[in-house]
């Protein structure tokens, strides 16, 4: 470590705050506190860095802080919860791009750099550029841009990706041994070119249903790029913060891969797409039965145990408050109400937990998939609100499906299933859901919020 004792102590304090903040974020009840603590750690690190005597060019730094803070505040206040995954993707891209540019600037401005620093420069450019382009593709897929909705891959794509990675490592070796000046710059540019192609090829083959895993992985990459850049500019706080983000991101990615029955190796090398379309839609939905809010109210009137299964559609409809009101009414009538939460419900980890917490729904009522699945056969009514892929039984029955092997909320075991959706449109995986046509399923075609409010009103009028 380099720097004065007060600076090192400030970096140590910020690191401890980062670790404590991450610990607090492990549970929804303390997550907000964790974010505040981690933000304080970042503030300490920024102030300490600005007070470092080696720092110069305060005019540009202040302008950057003002512009960045203004943009951050605007995004935080204006971006809807439903668009949060896209924003995370963009922020990951910006983090990776920033690491690439900082490393490049240091390469051009510094003289007689050591081999280990040049290796760090190369790794920063490689990881940062992969993160930049991969995150932009993830953003495009989450935003459902037409040209990016369908996975794209070349024959032997994982092999090609592995070859590109090896080529990038060769260029890093060239960078570490090249003469200062044009030779190093040329090697670095070659790294960026190969990393750009690799970043695109890693994410383009992956289907939309697996984007939450990709966003988590790109978040990890952005942290690793930041840590590498910390070695380049000899900043201990950046090394520690980047390492924490990188490690926690990998752990989260592994947890999500397990929840979706995916291979982490396949994620790393861009092999998660494929599968059939799930059958002819007209044939799958031949026996779909629709219902009304009044009929659903009568079914719920005698129910003893009710389970809500929230999905992305609930987020779009902003129906969480209406769901809370309905659940309170059902509990007042003697029913037990729970919420079945799939690990990747919505489009990013914890999406549903945040929405339900926003509506002041008790954390004790939120049940993870593994906890509630064994008891679903004793549920009188399951109400699926805007969820699709996470309740699709095709994951268990069709080995060629894009979601084959993904654990689901097994609502098909419940006595009655009420699915609230605007239409029979497919989920993010783009395949039909045979759950909608099962004998114990009724479809309520309506806006999620309005449908729940109509059910609540109908129950009160019984």
């Amino acid at each position: 470590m380099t720097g004065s004792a007060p600076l090192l102590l400030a970096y140590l304090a910020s690191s401890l705050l980062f670790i404590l903040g991450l610990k607090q974020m492990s549970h929804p009840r303390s997550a907000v506190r964790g974010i505040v603590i981690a933000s304080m750690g970042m503030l300490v690190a920024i102030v300490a860095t600005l007070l470092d005597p080696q720092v110069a060019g305060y005019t540009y730094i202040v302008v950057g802080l003002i512009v960045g803070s203004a943009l951050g505040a605007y995004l935080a206040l204006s971006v809807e919860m439903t668009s949060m995954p896209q924003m995370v993707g963009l922020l990951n891209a910006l983090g990776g791009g920033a690491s690439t540019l900082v490393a490049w600037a240091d390469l051009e401005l510094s003289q007689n750099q050591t081999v280990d620093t040049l290796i760090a420069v190369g790794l920063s450019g490689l990881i940062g550029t992969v993160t930049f382009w991969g995150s932009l593709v993830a953003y495009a897929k989450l935003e459902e841009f037409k040209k990016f909705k369908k996975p794209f891959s070349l024959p032997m794509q994982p092999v090609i990706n592995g070859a590109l990675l090896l080529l990038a490592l060769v260029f890093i070796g060239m960078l570490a041994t090249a003469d200062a000046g044009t030779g190093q710059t040329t090697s670095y540019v070659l790294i960026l070119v190969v990393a750009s192609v690799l970043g695109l090829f890693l994410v383009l083959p992956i289907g939309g249903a697996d984007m939450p895993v990709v966003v988590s992985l790109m978040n990890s990459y952005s942290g690793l790029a930041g840590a590498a850049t910390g070695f380049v500019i000899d900043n201990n706080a950046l090394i520690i913060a980047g390492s924490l983000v990188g490690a926690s991101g990998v752990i989260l990615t592994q947890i999500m891969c397990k929840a979706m029955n995916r291979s982490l190796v396949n994620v790393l090398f861009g092999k998660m797409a494929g599968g059939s379309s799930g059958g002819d839609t007209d044939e799958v939905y031949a026996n779909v039965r629709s219902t009304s809010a009044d009929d659903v109210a009568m079914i719920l009137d005698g129910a003893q145990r009710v389970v809500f299964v929230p999905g992305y559609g609930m987020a779009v409809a902003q129906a969480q408050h209406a769901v809370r009101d309905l659940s309170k009414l059902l509990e007042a009538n003697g029913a037990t109400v729970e919420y079945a939460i799939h690990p990747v419900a919505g489009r990013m980890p914890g999406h549903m937990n945040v929405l339900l917490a926003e509506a002041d729904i008790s954390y004790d009522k939120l049940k993870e998939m593994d906890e509630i699945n064994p008891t679903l056969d004793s549920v009188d009514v399951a109400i699926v609100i805007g969820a699709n892929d996470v309740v699709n039984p095709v994951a268990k029955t069709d080995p060629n499906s894009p979601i084959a092997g993904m654990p689901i909320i097994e609502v098909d075991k419940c006595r009655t299933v009420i699915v609230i959706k605007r239409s029979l449109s497919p989920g993010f995986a783009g395949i039909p859901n045979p759950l909608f046509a099962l004998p114990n399923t009724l479809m309520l075609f309506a806006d999620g919020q309005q449908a729940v409010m109509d059910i609540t009103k109908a129950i009160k009028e019984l």
Side-chain angles (χ1 to χ4, degrees):
M1 285 188 175
T2 60
S4 63
L7 180 63
L8 295 179
L9 287 175
Y11 285 162
L12 177 61
S14 67
S15 302
L16 292 175
L17 289 171
F18 291 150
I19 295 171
L20 180 59
L22 279 175
K23 176 64 176 177
Q24 295 292 306
M25 291 180 208
S26 63
H27 193 280
R29 195 184 302 275
S30 57
V32 174
R33 184 166 61 251
I35 292 172
V36 173
I37 293 173
S39 299
M40 291 173 58
M42 183 56 68
L43 178 62
V44 171
I46 292 173
V47 172
T49 300
L50 291 177
L51 295 177
D52 187 341
Q54 299 182 34
V55 174
Y58 281 99
T59 300
Y60 295 106
I61 293 173
V62 171
V63 171
L65 286 173
I66 293 174
V67 174
S69 299
L71 287 174
Y74 171 77
L75 291 173
L77 295 173
S78 62
V79 174
E80 298 289 341
M81 178 59 69
T82 51
S83 298
M84 198 59 63
Q86 291 93 307
M87 188 180 81
V88 172
L90 282 177
L91 294 179
N92 288 340
L94 292 175
S99 296
T100 297
L101 294 176
V102 170
W104 195 349
D106 188 83
L107 179 67
E108 298 296 332
L109 296 175
S110 301
Q111 299 294 325
N112 301 319
Q113 290 181 321
T114 60
V115 172
D116 56 344
T117 300
L118 289 172
I119 291 175
V121 169
L123 290 175
S124 180
L126 170 60
I127 304 172
T129 304
V130 166
T131 304
F132 178 78
W133 290 109
S135 297
L136 288 182
V137 174
Y139 167 82
K141 286 178 175 286
L142 288 168
E143 198 65 33
E144 298 188 69
F145 290 159
K146 192 172 182 179
K147 292 185 178 180
F148 290 88
K149 289 186 70 173
K150 186 177 180 180
F152 168 81
S153 63
L154 298 173
M156 301 180 66
Q157 186 72 70
V159 176
I160 294 174
N161 292 347
L164 287 170
L165 177 60
L166 288 175
L167 183 59
L169 294 177
V170 169
F171 288 146
I172 291 176
M174 291 172 55
L175 172 65
T177 57
D179 295 330
T182 305
Q184 291 181 352
T185 301
T186 301
S187 298
Y188 192 75
V189 170
L190 289 173
I191 293 170
L192 300 191
V193 171
V194 174
S196 298
V197 178
L198 180 58
L200 294 173
F201 278 2
L202 283 174
V203 183
L204 283 173
I206 299 177
D210 293 317
M211 273 305 106
V213 181
V214 175
V215 170
S216 175
L217 183 63
M218 289 299 151
N219 183 56
S220 173
Y221 284 175
S222 69
L224 295 176
T229 306
F231 283 105
V232 172
I233 63 175
D234 198 19
N235 186 284
N236 297 310
L238 187 55
I239 294 172
I240 295 172
S243 299
L244 287 173
V245 172
S248 59
V250 169
I251 293 171
L252 178 59
T253 302
Q254 179 59 45
I255 292 172
M256 294 176 66
C257 285
K258 182 179 179 181
M260 298 178 70
N261 195 31
R262 299 299 192 238
S263 165
L264 181 59
V265 174
N266 284 347
V267 181
L268 292 173
F269 286 92
K271 185 184 176 182
M272 291 178 67
S276 65
S277 62
D280 180 72
T281 301
D282 292 336
E283 182 180 343
V284 172
Y285 293 150
N287 298 317
V288 167
R289 296 181 299 156
S290 61
T291 187
S292 66
D294 291 334
D295 291 339
V296 173
M298 288 188 287
I299 294 172
L300 290 172
D301 187 51
Q304 295 300 308
R305 186 182 178 201
V306 178
V307 171
F308 288 94
V309 183
Y312 182 70
M314 187 189 79
V316 173
Q318 289 291 293
Q320 62 269 26
H321 297 282
V323 169
R324 175 203 58 199
D325 295 339
L326 175 57
S327 66
K328 287 184 176 180
L329 180 59
L330 293 172
E331 289 172 335
N333 291 343
T336 299
V337 177
E338 298 164 306
Y339 298 83
I341 308 297
H342 193 281
V344 294
R347 294 188 180 175
M348 64 185 300
H351 203 169
M352 295 301 104
N353 301 68
V354 172
L355 284 175
L356 296 173
E358 183 183 276
D360 294 325
I361 293 173
S362 173
Y363 298 117
D364 298 333
K365 297 177 183 178
L366 309 186
K367 306 297 181 182
E368 298 295 335
M369 175 181 63
D370 293 338
E371 179 184 359
I372 202 166
N373 266 349
T375 69
L376 286 178
D377 56 358
S378 65
V379 171
D380 295 308
V381 182
I383 302 178
V384 180
I385 306 179
N388 200 323
D389 297 329
V390 298
V391 294
N392 194 335
V394 163
K396 300 185 297 180
T397 60
D398 184 358
N400 296 317
S401 166
I403 60 173
M406 185 181 83
I408 62 168
I409 304 292
E410 298 171 350
V411 292
D412 52 303
K413 295 180 179 179
C414 301
R415 296 182 183 121
T416 302
V417 181
I418 308 297
V419 179
I420 301 175
K421 276 177 61 72
R422 290 179 178 271
S423 67
L424 290 171
S425 59
F428 214 49
I431 57 175
N433 190 340
L435 170 72
F436 302 163
L438 291 181
N440 60 331
T441 299
L442 295 170
M443 300 293 300
L444 179 54
F445 296 109
D447 171 78
Q449 183 182 82
Q450 189 60 51
V452 175
M453 292 173 63
D454 290 343
I455 294 170
T456 302
K457 179 180 178 182
I459 292 176
K460 291 178 179 179
E461 293 176 351
L462 289 177

